[in-house]
Amino acid sequence: MRYLLRVCSGSYTPFREKGDQAAFLNDLPVEYSGCGLGDFRESCLRVETKEGFRACGLTYAGHRIFGGKPALPGLPATYGGEKDCTTLELTCCDKVLGLTVRLYYTAFEKLDAICRSVQIENGGTEALKLTTVLSACLDLDNRNFDMLTLHGSWAYERMICRKELGWGKQRISSNRGISSHQEQPFMALVEHTATQTQGQVYAMNFVYSGNFMAQAETSQQEQVRMVMGIDPEGFGWRLAPGDTFQAPEVVMVYSDCGLGGMTRTFHDLYRGHLIRGPYKDKARPSLVNNWEATYFDFNTDKLLDIARTAAESGIEMLVVDDGWFGHRDNDRSSLGDWYVNEKKLPGGLDRLVRQVNALGLKFGIWVEPEMISPDSDLYRAHPDYALQIPGRPGTLGRWQLVLDMSRQDVRDCVYEQLYKILSSANIEYVKWDMNRPLTDAASFSLDDDRQGELYHRYVLGVYEMQERLLRDFPHLLLENCASGGGRFDPGMLYYSPQIWTSDNTDAIDRLRIQEGTALIYPLSTMGAHVAACPSHTNSRTTPFETRALAALPGCFGYELDLTKLSTEEKAMIPGQLERYRKYGWVFRTGDYYRLASYSENGEYDALMAVSKDKRIAVVDYIHVMSRERRRSLILPLQGLDENQAYRSAETREVRSGAAWMYGGMPLPKMRGDFLGQLMVLEAAAV
Ligand code: GLA
């Protein structure tokens, strides 16, 4: 492979010793870049000595290859045994600094995915300051690449953004302490001509839930360096002699069959080697959540009314959202006081849960453990538990402050309250929310020269707490959430098999949000609910059935006041649930194909899932905007077995997989906006 290096002297490029293969560092593809010694592209590792010297150069010291994959201490990561993957550990060192750097590459051979992480060990005698530790670096020639990212905002998360890769550095990042609504820890270099079905794609996704950066940089030699890791802004880690720093993992996926190939690799990797727990491969209970039904205005009677209607319709679980604790009647108080508000729920949770269980429903609850309201008993007793910079007034977000999750005592204090609540009743599901970004990021518990560690220690604290929760309540179904999809990332998926996708519950907006989400994340991870109309997000009115079709591919539920539905709407719920039970598993476990995108064609949306054995396929078609057509549309399908005959459950027509794929499926003619249909193909004997 050495010929690919094309070692040569770039003009106006500093060098060390002539004859040294790696003399002209700036033009050389490297696996992990140091800093200050002649590679002017992005540095993966920046180190500062106590004298303030800032240089680091890594050279090969050894390697070993072994089956399986080591866990990353304290961090979420993909996992796999000897049959699934092989790991290369590459050891490099900087002898001047006494630094050892271990680069880990785990290849999941059957999946075209490599997971990379980095460990830095200070083997010297002086403490060092790490000011940048990225987790992956990929140097390659520019092949007319586009850069693909997922941009967004609250209620519009993960909008697909594709643009031509230009010169210099093009970067996305989050310094909000969470992966964020605004940017997703994902970047792909995509051949300019690549589509859903053809072309090369190099993608990276960060298994991390805090500050990150991802960058593609085109150099003077038209080389591209793609990097990903913890955002260096605000980061500084003091590494004492003998200490090791473990950077989180980046998943790298390659596809030579377009974006669809990349997507399916991510889905398989995450379903098989990231998500854990009892619900990993199981259907998730259909639920009704009371948030958009009641907001803070509920009591036992109201909840039981909803639960009764839910039970009659066949819904399996009631989730009580925000407002059941402290004296929380709006968003201005009580975060941190995790005890039941007996005015709303007399007799506590146990009494309520027994009544809900007696109706045949499971019970779930909302919590927001990382936060503290200034109006709370916890804050009055421990104001120092909140993140704050001495002398500064502090910044509120949604009227709340952020707890210092880097502190063990703070975590213990909140955890003990949660433990008590969850042990007090038969609670089978928890929605863990997080409703503001981090500011004033300083901790009373850290030394002055360690304040740069706070953001990362915060994330480690959250991970530790969720791990503890899963250990103590191994049967719990955990759903993460951060004002909707503000922390929808692979780090969170390691702890919860599903995440609330967005606070935007309008069916039509959801098509675009779910399309962007499903570009990397399995459909089985997306919380998706049928909500009230006019939509609380954008006032749009859509038919009840269309809302159910838009939510069907995800973790299906309802988020409205069931008691206020019309008789016709109520009567539709059992059929919608039956459809979820009958076909939900194909979306959850099958191969996903994006057939048509409303955000591209402005007219209709269609996604497809094919079971792994290719015996059954489902097409979720939403006809968004009506347009006069003399002829119906024909949709070429994907992923079927060409030689297998399939019968349409709707028209009873039988055609070969090849005919459905290359001839296509005529779509039902629909008159009117916001309509839809599920179409099912089943393998048939001919
Ligand atoms: C966040 C969540 C919502 C809901 C509210 C409750 O915004 O995303 O689903 O739980 O908090 O305050």
Side-chain angles (χ1 to χ4, degrees), residues 34-79:
C35 63
L37 299 174
D39 182 351
F40 298 107
R41 296 161 297 176
E42 190 68 28
S43 306
C44 291
L45 183 61
R46 291 195 184 92
V47 186
E48 208 177 300
T49 63
K50 83 171 189 314
E51 298 83 5
F53 299 133
R54 293 169 196 175
C56 171
L58 299 172
T59 49
Y60 171 85
H63 76 274
R64 64 190 184 104
I65 294 174
F66 50 93
K69 183 173 191 292
L72 303 191
L75 282 166
T78 55
Y79 55 85

Side-chain angles (χ1 to χ4, degrees), residues 100-308:
T100 300
V101 174
R102 289 184 201 89
L103 306 176
Y104 290 92
Y105 301 74
T106 298
F108 286 84
E109 289 96 344
K110 289 176 218 127
L111 290 172
D112 247 333
I114 297 177
C115 300
R116 285 187 61 168
S117 66
V118 178
Q119 227 178 57
I120 319 273
E121 188 185 331
N122 183 357
T125 50
E126 301 283 352
L128 297 167
K129 185 75 156 272
L130 306 175
T131 56
T132 300
V133 186
L134 301 183
S135 293
C137 174
L138 184 65
D139 282 351
L140 68 176
D141 279 7
N142 191 359
R143 299 200 192 130
N144 206 7
F145 283 130
D146 285 348
M147 186 175 106
L148 184 73
T149 56
L150 293 167
H151 179 77
S153 63
W154 174 78
Y156 290 93
E157 296 91 342
R158 294 170 294 285
M159 303 282 121
I160 296 174
C161 173
R162 180 170 174 172
K163 58 188 176 204
E164 200 180 314
L165 187 67
W167 295 102
K169 297 181 174 183
Q170 291 122 97
R171 164 191 173 117
I172 55 157
S173 64
S174 164
N175 58 5
R176 296 165 189 261
I178 49 176
S179 46
S180 86
H181 303 82
Q182 286 71 20
E183 300 289 353
Q184 178 57 215
F186 162 79
M187 180 178 277
L189 297 177
V190 181
E191 278 183 321
H192 187 61
T193 51
T195 62
Q196 277 294 323
T197 52
Q198 63 85 31
Q200 297 195 67
V201 182
Y202 297 86
M204 286 187 183
N205 194 194
F206 200 22
V207 188
Y208 190 60
S209 312
N211 292 349
F212 76 91
M213 74 91 111
Q215 182 176 280
E217 168 184 11
T218 314
S219 72
Q220 56 180 2
Q221 302 275 20
E222 290 200 56
Q223 282 171 306
V224 179
R225 170 168 293 173
M226 176 158 54
V227 295
M228 185 174 271
I230 292 178
D231 191 5
E233 184 183 334
F235 175 81
W237 195 275
R238 188 172 184 272
L239 202 66
D243 276 5
T244 297
F245 179 80
Q246 173 67 58
E249 166 170 288
V250 166
V251 171
M252 306 202 305
V253 164
Y254 170 75
S255 163
D256 61 0
C257 52
L259 291 168
M262 172 200 79
T263 293
R264 287 184 289 281
T265 301
F266 274 121
H267 288 194
D268 284 343
L269 184 72
Y270 291 165
R271 284 183 301 200
H273 301 281
L274 178 68
I275 292 167
R276 306 173 295 165
Y279 283 93
K280 174 175 178 281
D281 301 314
K282 266 216 305 228
R284 317 288 161 71
S286 58
L287 62 84
V288 59
N289 177 306
N290 77 311
W291 178 239
E292 289 197 16
T294 64
Y295 294 103
F296 296 100
D297 185 17
F298 61 85
N299 55 26
T300 301
D301 289 345
K302 180 71 214 170
L303 294 175
L304 288 177
D305 279 351
I306 294 177
R308 235 171 264 119

Side-chain angles (χ1 to χ4, degrees), residues 431-444:
K431 176 175 170 188
W432 178 304
D433 209 340
M434 196 284 185
N435 278 320
R436 60 155 291 181
L438 271 57
T439 56
D440 310 271
S443 167
F444 282 115

